[in-house]
Amino acid sequence: MSDLQHSEDIVQLNSQIQEQKLLFDSLREELSGAIIGQKYMIDRLLIGLLGNGHVLLEGVPGLAKTLAIKSLAEALDGAFSRIQFTPDLLPADVIGTQIYNMHSHEFSVKRGPVFANFVLADEINRAPSKVQSALLEAMQERQVTIGEETMQLPDPFLVLATQNPIDQEGTYQLPEAQSDRFMLKCKIDYPSFQEEREVMRMVSQGTQRMVRKVVSLDAIRHSRELVKKVYLDEKIEKYILDMVFATRTPSVYNLSELENFISFGASPRASINLAIAARATAFLNGRGFVIPEDVKSVAKDVLRHRIGLSFEAEAEEVSAEEVIDRVLSKIQAP
C-alpha cells in the first residue's frame, strides 16, 4: 500500500470515527449527569465497552461503582443482570443449572443471570474462588457449559465487576487466571469536596437524574469494528511490547532494582489489551491513529493486576503502580 493510499484511508477512518464519537460523547454526558465526579471511571467503562473487554472496579463502598455500571447498562439498549456475590453463593447461582422434570422424566437447563449483555458482578471478591471461577469460561469463551450442553452468550457480553480492597474483612483474593481475564482494573478514589457536596444535595433532595437510552447495540458493534481499524504504528507496537517485557525481565531494560519486587511479569494478554485499550482511547479522542500518550494513559489499568509482587515488595510497601511508574519512566516513548 502506498503512503498516499494509507493517508487517504486514515482520513476516511477519521471521518467515520468523528461521527461515531458524537454518540459516545452523548453517552458520556448522560452518565456524567447521574454519576458526579467520576470521569476516570466513566472513561474506563467506555474503553472496556469499545474494546470488548471486561472491567474490574476496586474501591471502598460508597464510591458509585455499582451505580456507574447500572447506569451504563440503562444508557445502552441491552439486557442487564446483577449478581450479588456473597460467601454462600454457588456456581449454579451464576451460570445456571439442570433441573429434573418429574412429568417428562428429562433434565432441562435453567439459565443463570450470566445470560445478559451486561453483567454486574457486585463485590465479586466476597465469594469463594470456586464461585468466581464459574465465570472463567463465560468471560474468555463467551459461552457457558451446563451438563452436556454448551450455550453461546449474547453479543455484546461484558462483565463489569466491583470489588472491595482485599485487606477488608470478608474478602477473597481473585484467582490469577480470572484476574488476568479482566481487560482493565481501575482503582476508584473518593470524590472532591465540591463533588461530594453536589452528590449530597442531589441525593438528599431526591433530584437524581434518570438515565436515558442513548446508544443502541448495533452502534456499539459498529464502533468496535472502527476501533479495530485504528492505526497502530510499529513503533507504538514496540513501545507496548517493551513495556510488558520490562515487567518480566527488568534487568534487560536497566531496571535491575525491580527484580526483587516482581515475582512474575505481565502475561501476553497485557500486550493484547494494551493495544486494544490504546486504540479505544484514540477513538474516544476522535483519532484514527494511536499516539504514545494513549498507551501511557491506560498502562496502569491494564498492567496493575497482571504483575505479581514478591514478599520483599510487600515488606517494603512497593505497589504495582510504583513498579509501572518506574517502567514508564525508563522505557523511551517513540
Side-chain angles (χ1 to χ4, degrees):
M1 183 186 295
S2 67
D3 291 341
L4 178 60
Q5 181 64 45
H6 181 64
S7 299
E8 289 176 353
D9 288 344
I10 289 184
V11 169
Q12 185 179 0
L13 180 61
N14 271 333
S15 176
Q16 293 176 308
I17 286 176
Q18 287 289 346
E19 184 180 338
Q20 289 298 112
K21 178 181 178 291
L22 295 176
L23 277 177
F24 282 84
D25 285 344
S26 65
L27 176 56
R28 184 190 279 118
E29 185 179 348
E30 190 67 24
L31 294 175
S32 297
I35 307 152
I36 307 300
Q38 294 288 7
K39 181 180 181 300
Y40 160 77
M41 176 165 58
I42 291 172
D43 283 347
R44 294 308 181 265
L45 288 176
L46 295 184
I47 289 172
L49 182 65
L50 284 166
N52 197 23
H54 311 296
V55 181
L56 178 62
L57 304 178
E58 180 180 283
V60 297
L63 297 183
K65 302 185 298 296
T66 302
L67 175 63
I69 295 170
K70 188 177 178 183
S71 299
L72 176 64
E74 289 174 353
L76 302 169
D77 190 18
F80 170 73
S81 68
R82 173 177 176 172
I83 308 170
Q84 186 67 47
F85 280 67
T86 55
D88 60 347
L89 197 71
L90 299 174
D93 298 325
V94 176
I95 62 172
T97 188
Q98 288 184 313
I99 296 177
Y100 183 70
N101 188 321
M102 295 182 65
H103 298 289
S104 63
H105 302 288
E106 293 178 344
F107 283 96
S108 61
V109 172
K110 177 177 171 55
R111 297 188 175 193
V114 77
F115 287 89
N117 295 113
F118 307 101
V119 177
L120 166 57
D122 210 3
E123 295 190 299
I124 190 172
N125 62 333
R126 288 204 181 278
S129 299
K130 66 177 182 180
V131 178
Q132 296 164 359
S133 61
L135 278 173
L136 278 177
E137 182 185 12
M139 292 174 67
Q140 184 63 28
E141 308 296 335
R142 260 70 175 183
Q143 66 182 30
V144 167
T145 302
I146 301 175
E148 296 180 354
E149 189 173 351
T150 298
M151 294 156 286
Q152 296 296 316
L153 291 165
D155 178 41
F157 171 72
L158 211 62
V159 174
L160 304 165
T162 70
Q163 75 170 16
N164 297 315
I166 59 171
D167 55 346
Q168 287 206 340
E169 188 175 352
T171 59
Y172 298 83
Q173 181 79 44
L174 284 182
E176 285 82 1
Q178 184 185 7
S179 182
D180 192 36
R181 281 169 172 80
F182 282 101
M183 177 184 183
L184 306 172
K185 178 184 176 182
C186 312
K187 289 200 170 182
I188 312 303
D189 206 353
Y190 291 106
S192 67
F193 185 91
Q194 188 58 39
E195 289 165 348
E196 190 156 343
R197 172 185 283 171
E198 191 174 345
V199 172
M200 181 180 68
R201 287 175 177 173
M202 185 176 68
V203 176
S204 62
Q205 294 171 6
T207 57
Q208 298 102 311
R209 273 182 54 182
M210 297 293 292
V211 178
R212 299 174 293 115
K213 293 190 186 301
V214 292
V215 179
S216 69
L217 295 185
D218 285 338
I220 293 169
R221 296 186 191 102
H222 178 57
S223 296
R224 284 179 174 178
E225 291 305 311
L226 288 179
V227 167
K228 293 175 184 176
K229 295 177 182 177
V230 171
Y231 179 64
L232 190 68
D233 191 82
E234 287 186 4
K235 293 179 181 178
I236 302 291
E237 289 179 342
K238 182 180 183 302
Y239 181 51
I240 289 172
L241 290 169
D242 282 340
M243 197 180 297
V244 173
F245 272 73
T247 68
R248 303 175 192 168
T249 53
S251 58
V252 174
Y253 294 87
N254 297 320
L255 287 164
S256 301
E257 70 275 10
L258 296 182
E259 282 195 329
N260 294 331
F261 297 147
I262 300 174
S263 59
F264 59 86
S267 73
R269 285 195 185 97
S271 50
I272 294 168
N273 286 318
L274 202 44
I276 294 172
R279 281 189 160 108
T281 301
F283 175 95
L284 289 173
N285 288 323
R287 277 184 280 100
F289 55 92
V290 175
I291 60 176
E293 283 67 26
D294 295 329
V295 179
K296 290 179 183 177
S297 67
V298 293
K300 288 184 181 179
D301 302 309
V302 173
L303 295 174
R304 63 162 53 97
H305 55 301
R306 293 185 164 94
I307 297 175
L309 297 178
S310 65
F311 289 114
E312 187 173 339
E314 293 178 11
E316 297 191 22
E317 298 183 345
V318 175
S319 65
E321 285 79 9
E322 290 179 67
V323 170
I324 298 167
D325 280 335
R326 296 191 196 183
V327 169
L328 286 172
S329 64
K330 181 64 71 172
I331 304 299
Q332 188 173 358

